[in-house]
Amino acid sequence: MIAKPPGHPDDDALVPSRRSFLRGLAAVGALPLTPALLAAEPASAASDGFPLVAGGVAADVFVDAGDDVAVRRVAGDLQADIERVSGVLPILTNRTAGLSRAAVLIGTIGHSPVIDKLVASGRLDVSEVAGRWEASVTQVVEAPIAGVDRALVVAGSDRRGTVYGVYDLSERIGVSPWYWWADVPVPHRDTVTLPPVTEKRREPAIRYRGIFLNDEDNLSQWAYRTAEPGKHIGPVTYTRIFELMLRLKANYLWPAMHPESDHFNKYPDNARLAHEYGVVVGSSHPEALLRNNVHEWQPWAEAHRNPDGSLPEYDYTVNPQTILDYWRARAKANARYESVWTVGMRGIHDSGLVTKNAKTTAERVAVMNDIITQQRRILAEEVGPAAGAVPQIFIPYKEVLDLYNAGVRVPDDVTLIWPDDNHGNMRQLPTAAERQRSGGNGLYYHLSYWGAPKSYLWLDTTAPAKIWQELRRAYDNGVRHTWIVNVGDLKSQETGLSFAMALAWDIDRWRAEDGQPRLADWAGRQFGAAYAREIAEIRQGYYELAAALRPEFIQSGVFSLVHHGDEADRRMAAYRSLIDRAEAVGRLLPAAYQDAFFELLLYPLTGAYLMNLKFVCADRNALAVKQGRGAGVNVFADLAERAQADEEALTRRYNTAIAGGKWKEIINPYPANVPKAPRVPAVTRLTRTSAVGLGVAAEGNETGVARPLTFSSYPRNRRFIDVFNTGFAPLTWQASPSHSWVQVSTTAGTTPDQARIWVSVDWAAAPSGVSSPQVRITGAGTTVTVPLQVVNDGEQGRATATGFVEAHGYVSIEAEHYDRIVPRSGATWQTIPGLGRSGAAVIGAPFDAARLDGDSRTVAPELQYNVRFATAGTFPVTVYRLPSLDERGTRRLAIGLDSGTPILLKGTGVTSATAAWSRNVVEGVEKLTTNVTVDRPGEHVLKLWMVDPANAVDQIVIDTGGLPASYLAPPESFHPAFNPNPGR
């Protein structure tokens, strides 16, 4: 339970966590994400601040009538935002005469005479802004024009620079970019005063930053039925999307392109409005030259039949001229708008290139080269003749990457867009020569995906640390021109999209360890600083669980029900704990915040839990049948089906009740036209009888008690015994330990179905060495004896341990818990909190470091782990590597023990739809196994070396005998510093 803090989101007393952020700054209920996002402050906090709203009067807002339409339009958004905050609507004017004494002046350098005069007079500092791409400055200027005493000036280097400066101002006063798309409330302020500081927004790190609306069935249905009836994503929806993009500092859109959506150019207003907002429109990898083939090719083919009356195929080796004319028509129609033109070719929909008359790879390469040449001729003739003046991209996606690597010639001024593997791992990065291209390099990254081996379209489950890892790796390797992020239906990707665009704007502000603070910043902006850290921790816990298995990937039999303290139940308990914490926060939030809180936290968290729960309960139902349970079989069947029903009710609430029904049909784990999340599997039910009988299953055994319950004085773990009824009539049972120092959570009970007993050891009373006590379970005329094995090394054993200690037949290590680090060759290991399955991972850095061939002991950065082995022998060691890729290189690291020769481990570097890659991306790790030889019991040093850079390691497990199979790594072993009380 969280006590209600004094600073509620609707209080003026909220204080930002970073008090030194700006001198004299007080928050308005939202934490900043970038330096430009200052919080407004009460007038009393700074007597020399600029009074945007004071005494019921708002400063007038001026924008020149001759400025760009995007700038004139965004001035209207600022007017509306000021009213949202204060309830006072400022005057918006393009005349300087009669302006209020305190006024806001908005303009673009070179397009606003008022701004240009201030620059010429030296009164507006535009150094590092003028002449740059999308840069801007916000500055308070005294007596800027006649009749105005003070002005808050927002000036941009170009039209989008000005737009971003204005939206920064909106966020400073408390308007979240997600005020509409996630219903984030705008805290009310009677007085809004801004500190008189000059704030410059310099050129963004990435030139084109944008989103791809893809697999958008839910978004399309919502638009058609709710947002703009009759249109499957039309101008009304797109204007909302354009505004959100610009508030997030995105500038580039690949529009929706699937059969269920209306194609972008179906409505001429779409392209016109994109231009008026300042959004650059492009198209995805199968949509050359802005053509939506799904909707546009068939009508074109019908109108341009072959001489014999047949329909032309979308195959350049069969109908080149028809296809070239098709592309030319679109280039001509959209030439007047700011666009990025995709060159190359794939199939009609998201399918492979069809070349009936080019069979070999060499022939297909020649076809692609000709396609690109002809497309560029069209662009030169219809859009602009200067090479490089018309932005163009080439996307080597799936089979096109193979053709590119086989010799496709992409002109130097065309930007290469490097795709990930659809699961958040960059496939290939540019070589040194490719980094020198004038067109630069970009990336196409997925936060949502439809395809093999499994689809994930429902929830935002890619952790910010994962996004940082891959995008930073790409950036460090020269991918700095264009970033496009697949956001699916958009609505469920609020957090991931925000992080990706923040990185694209200013990546150097993010360090490896900044994921959690940035998540707290973002949460604070939506819900208030008082709740930021708690919400961030809950959200991070949610991402950690998804890193082990996305909820859409769940299936029967994944998590163990009998090993490691019930692996499945530990996962469910983690979800339940997060939900309890989230609900506690929700009870403290004012009513105005409840819809946003549900959309951004409660729904994804609870939905993911229920998706997992129904499968875990169905698995228990199947195990109960195998164990011969009676009433318990039906109990678990009921729970599984109840979880499905609860999940459906949760989604129904989202679609019907949240925000007054605004989001009807926007969220659906089971959409009609794209892959669905899994529904509850079939369960078994038994006919009720009057029988009663005792059954017992001890931890580590699917049935019976043959495998002893093991206990060690290092982790001081507990184990469970399931007592169950083989019938339906009430079962009375007793549990009797053989020794007083063996403790059970309950000694007797009556149950119609089942009960779980937890067994533990009183270590102060237990004898030293190895003991074999028992727990006897009696009931219904039957006795079952459960064997235990207890190893007690005493307090001295724990006190003398210097590192991880073997117990239960294994050593389990979380990779960030190293005892020593040894940098070498200009490289090192770096810890990234929030990355991987276990809360943090280590990664070889810098990400553009050289590959370190040779003897790792002398050239490679090293991590050392102290390990105490109880036994000697040759043991399997498994490194849990995060599945990053390198299609043209390798993903290697090395491991060894003591002074032994490093053993090279080679991870999967390519996709190629291999079974290994498919398994890795579903499980979130690649398990690399070799053997190490322990020559004697006692203290040793396990060593991990980086060979290839940007290789991340999550966990390391050594099986010293009898480690049971399970989906997750076993719980981390005892370590006196990192894990002194493993407990359960």
Side-chain angles (χ1 to χ4, degrees):
M1 178 64 70
I2 305 168
K4 177 176 176 178
H8 225 216
D10 53 352
D11 295 337
D12 287 335
L14 284 180
V15 179
S17 61
R18 296 183 293 174
R19 296 180 181 273
S20 61
F21 178 64
L22 276 178
R23 178 168 45 90
L25 193 63
V28 294
L31 285 172
L33 183 64
T34 67
L37 305 182
L38 315 180
E41 58 181 351
S44 60
S47 59
D48 59 346
F50 179 82
L52 192 62
V53 180
V57 178
D60 292 351
V61 178
F62 165 82
V63 63
D64 195 281
D67 213 325
D68 188 88
V69 61
V71 175
R72 301 196 307 271
R73 191 208 61 78
V74 80
D77 278 0
L78 178 64
Q79 178 191 37
D81 287 345
I82 292 171
E83 184 182 28
R84 287 186 180 100
V85 172
S86 66
V88 180
L89 181 69
I91 294 172
L92 175 61
T93 179
N94 54 26
R95 298 171 57 87
T96 57
L99 280 175
S100 54
R101 291 291 183 180
V104 179
L105 307 180
I106 297 170
T108 307
I109 299 168
H111 297 272
S112 172
V114 169
I115 299 298
D116 291 346
K117 287 178 184 177
L118 291 174
V119 173
S121 66
R123 304 179 67 197
L124 181 63
D125 180 7
V126 295
S127 60
E128 300 183 276
V129 173
R132 306 298 178 91
W133 175 266
E134 298 180 345
S136 63
V137 60
T138 301
Q139 180 182 329
V140 174
V141 178
E142 305 295 331
I145 56 178
V148 177
D149 296 334
R150 301 182 88 198
L152 183 67
V153 180
V154 181
S157 62
D158 53 28
R159 65 178 189 148
R160 273 191 299 275
T162 309
V163 169
Y164 295 139
V166 171
Y167 280 139
D168 265 356
L169 178 56
S170 290
E171 197 162 7
R172 288 167 64 183
I173 65 175
V175 180
S176 167
W178 295 99
Y179 81 95
W180 195 87
W181 278 99
D183 302 301
V184 175
V186 178
H188 179 80
R189 295 288 180 274
D190 291 326
T191 299
V192 182
T193 305
L194 295 164
V197 296
T198 297
E199 187 62 42
K200 292 181 179 178
R201 288 158 290 272
R202 297 170 178 82
E203 278 191 335
I206 307 301
R207 189 174 185 86
Y208 291 107
R209 313 163 303 280
I211 64 172
F212 180 20
L213 301 172
N214 192 219
D215 311 317
E216 65 281 358
D217 190 48
N218 290 334
L219 180 67
S220 177
Q221 293 302 320
W222 168 78
Y224 183 80
R225 301 180 188 278
T226 306
E228 46 185 332
K231 290 184 173 68
H232 285 282
I233 311 180
V236 172
T237 303
Y238 273 118
T239 53
R240 288 292 187 183
I241 292 170
F242 298 155
E243 179 190 344
L244 172 68
M245 290 174 60
L246 294 167
R247 287 182 184 267
L248 293 173
K249 297 188 177 64
N251 62 6
Y252 180 38
L253 173 70
W254 289 358
M257 51 78 74
H258 272 257
E260 60 269 17
S261 300
D262 295 333
H263 68 93
F264 187 75
N265 287 299
K266 177 179 180 179
Y267 306 111
D269 281 348
N270 284 343
R272 176 185 62 80
L273 288 166
H275 174 75
E276 292 179 2
Y277 272 75
V279 171
V280 183
V281 176
S283 56
S284 65
H285 45 88
E287 302 177 286
L289 271 60
L290 302 184
R291 275 297 194 181
N292 181 284
N293 303 316
V294 172
H295 290 287
E296 295 187 280
W297 174 251
Q298 186 67 23
W300 182 270
E302 292 279 1
H304 299 81
R305 289 179 175 268
N306 294 323
D308 64 0
S310 62
L311 287 174
E313 300 175 55
Y314 192 67
D315 181 342
Y316 189 81
T317 67
V318 177
N319 296 292
Q321 193 56 52
T322 305
I323 294 171
L324 290 172
D325 292 344
Y326 169 69
W327 287 334
R328 183 180 292 275
R330 175 57 61 217
K332 182 178 293 187
N334 288 57
R336 64 187 182 276
Y337 300 126
E338 191 177 5
S339 305
V340 172
W341 301 85
T342 299
V343 299
M345 190 176 184
R346 294 192 74 224
I348 282 187
H349 194 195
D350 188 359
S351 57
L353 176 68
V354 178
T355 54
K356 286 184 178 179
N357 296 324
K359 302 297 186 182
T360 69
T361 297
E363 290 171 340
R364 287 162 62 85
V365 166
V367 169
M368 186 66 77
N369 284 335
D370 186 52
I371 288 170
I372 294 171
T373 298
Q374 296 304 320
Q375 289 171 333
R376 284 168 62 79
R377 181 171 62 82
I378 290 171
L379 292 175
E381 293 170 357
E382 302 294 347
V383 182
V390 180
Q392 299 160 52
I393 63 172
F394 176 78
I395 311 166
Y397 185 71
K398 290 190 175 178
E399 82 286 346
V400 180
L401 179 61
D402 297 331
L403 294 180
Y404 173 78
N405 288 335
V408 168
R409 296 187 302 273
V410 181
D412 195 67
D413 60 281
V414 176
T415 304
L416 294 175
I417 303 294
W418 301 100
D420 69 353
D421 66 345
N422 306 313
H423 291 264
N425 307 292
M426 295 304 299
R427 291 183 64 181
Q428 181 170 310
L429 296 171
T431 63
E434 288 164 339
R435 295 183 205 181
Q436 302 306 312
R437 297 170 53 85
S438 62
N441 294 271
L443 62 79
Y444 170 37
Y445 193 80
H446 288 76
L447 296 177
S448 174
Y449 176 63
W450 170 8
K454 288 179 180 289
S455 303
Y456 57 104
L457 301 170
W458 178 36
L459 301 175
D460 164 27
T461 50
T462 304
K466 174 68 174 181
I467 297 170
W468 179 89
Q469 173 206 359
E470 288 296 316
L471 299 192
R472 181 80 223 192
R473 178 188 172 209
Y475 182 85
D476 287 350
N477 282 277
V479 181
R480 302 185 176 192
H481 186 276
T482 302
W483 287 4
I484 191 83
V485 179
N486 188 320
V487 294
D489 288 305
L490 175 64
K491 187 64 184 82
S492 64
Q493 300 297 332
E494 298 93 345
T495 309
L497 172 57
S498 296
F499 275 77
M501 291 303 101
L503 282 169
W505 182 261
D506 188 3
I507 193 168
D508 285 334
R509 289 197 67 248
W510 290 61
R511 300 167 301 169
E513 62 269 26
D514 283 347
Q516 190 77 6
R518 297 285 176 240
L519 193 54
D521 281 354
W522 189 84
R525 284 215 320 279
Q526 318 315 317
F527 301 107
Y531 307 95
R533 180 172 296 179
E534 178 68 358
I535 291 173
E537 288 181 1
I538 295 167
R539 188 84 192 189
Q540 183 53 53
Y542 160 83
Y543 284 127
E544 186 177 323
L545 290 165
L549 192 73
R550 296 184 195 267
E552 298 94 333
F553 294 176
I554 188 67
Q555 61 186 28
S556 298
V558 175
F559 298 101
S560 173
L561 305 175
V562 300
H563 295 308
H564 304 309
D566 192 337
E567 180 181 74
D569 190 60
R570 288 192 293 116
R571 181 173 173 84
M572 293 300 94
Y575 267 121
R576 288 191 296 269
S577 174
L578 294 174
I579 292 170
D580 288 345
R581 292 170 66 182
E583 290 176 343
V585 173
R587 288 191 290 272
L588 300 178
L589 287 169
Y593 285 79
Q594 295 300 321
D595 286 343
F597 191 69
F598 180 86
E599 294 169 43
L600 296 177
L601 187 62
L602 271 183
Y603 179 81
L605 176 59
T606 309
Y609 165 69
L610 292 170
M611 186 67 71
N612 278 264
L613 180 64
K614 66 190 182 186
F615 276 86
V616 169
C617 290
D619 286 348
R620 293 197 190 283
N621 170 259
L623 180 62
V625 172
K626 184 176 183 178
Q627 292 174 334
R629 300 193 190 198
V633 170
N634 294 350
V635 167
F636 290 128
D638 290 343
L639 289 172
E641 293 178 348
R642 175 62 183 272
Q644 177 71 51
D646 287 349
E647 175 207 295
E648 292 172 358
L650 188 77
T651 299
R652 191 161 50 248
R653 177 185 172 194
Y654 201 136
N655 289 318
T656 60
I658 295 300
K662 172 181 174 180
W663 301 117
K664 185 178 181 181
E665 299 199 46
I666 194 72
I667 291 292
N668 183 3
Y670 314 105
N673 301 305
V674 296
K676 302 166 177 56
R679 291 185 180 272
V680 63
V683 293
T684 299
R685 293 184 182 277
L686 301 179
T687 301
R688 184 179 179 86
T689 69
S690 59
V692 62
L694 172 69
V696 178
E699 180 176 345
N701 301 271
E702 284 199 345
T703 60
V705 298
R707 181 174 180 142
L709 300 181
T710 63
F711 299 84
S712 167
S713 57
Y714 292 101
R716 296 185 173 178
N717 55 292
R718 65 175 189 169
R719 299 294 189 190
F720 68 82
I721 301 172
D722 281 347
V723 177
F724 55 85
N725 191 346
T726 61
F728 288 81
L731 166 70
T732 299
W733 56 270
Q734 297 83 35
S736 306
S738 60
H739 296 74
S740 60
W741 47 267
V742 175
Q743 302 170 326
V744 292
S745 57
T746 182
T747 57
T750 299
T751 178
D753 40 60
Q754 55 238 335
R756 175 160 287 184
I757 304 169
W758 287 100
V759 183
S760 57
V761 172
D762 179 353
W763 294 102
S768 297
V770 179
S771 303
S772 300
Q774 301 170 338
V775 175
R776 295 178 64 205
I777 310 296
T778 59
T782 301
T783 298
V784 177
T785 300
V786 180
L788 281 60
Q789 183 182 75
V790 179
V791 179
N792 186 8
D793 280 358
E795 288 297 331
Q796 183 65 17
R798 279 178 141 242
T800 58
T802 62
F804 293 98
V805 179
E806 175 194 345
H808 307 306
Y810 68 84
V811 179
S812 182
I813 299 169
E814 294 184 7
E816 74 275 14
H817 291 160
Y818 54 85
D819 291 287
R820 285 169 298 282
I821 183 170
V822 184
R824 291 192 183 101
S825 303
T828 189
W829 287 97
Q830 192 173 34
T831 297
I832 305 181
L835 183 63
R837 291 169 155 197
S838 63
V842 295
I843 191 166
F847 294 170
D848 58 349
R851 302 180 190 280
L852 298 174
D853 296 308
D855 189 339
S856 294
R857 290 171 292 188
T858 58
V859 300
E862 175 184 331
L863 294 177
Q864 298 180 0
Y865 302 87
N866 295 341
V867 180
R868 177 185 289 176
F869 289 97
T871 52
T874 298
F875 305 127
V877 55
T878 300
V879 175
Y880 288 62
R881 187 188 78 89
L882 301 188
S884 59
L885 301 169
D886 188 343
E887 300 262 347
R888 292 189 292 203
T890 53
R891 308 304 296 142
R892 301 168 300 169
L893 48 85
I895 196 164
L897 191 68
D898 300 326
S899 59
T901 301
I903 303 167
L904 192 66
L905 298 175
K906 296 181 180 180
T908 301
V910 300
T911 56
S912 304
T914 63
W917 168 79
S918 298
R919 181 180 60 253
N920 297 344
V921 295
V922 169
E923 296 184 356
V925 293
E926 179 174 26
K927 299 173 184 176
L928 303 177
T929 300
T930 186
N931 292 315
V932 294
T933 298
V934 179
D935 59 4
R936 54 176 174 74
E939 308 294 337
H940 295 267
V941 178
L942 184 71
K943 299 178 180 180
L944 181 70
W945 291 277
M946 180 195 102
V947 179
D948 294 325
N951 230 343
V953 175
D954 193 6
Q955 294 164 295
I956 305 170
V957 177
I958 306 169
D959 180 359
T960 59
L963 177 65
S966 60
Y967 179 79
L968 301 174
E972 189 177 35
S973 299
F974 169 84
H975 188 291
F978 298 120
N979 198 24
N981 295 297
R984 300 179 185 177

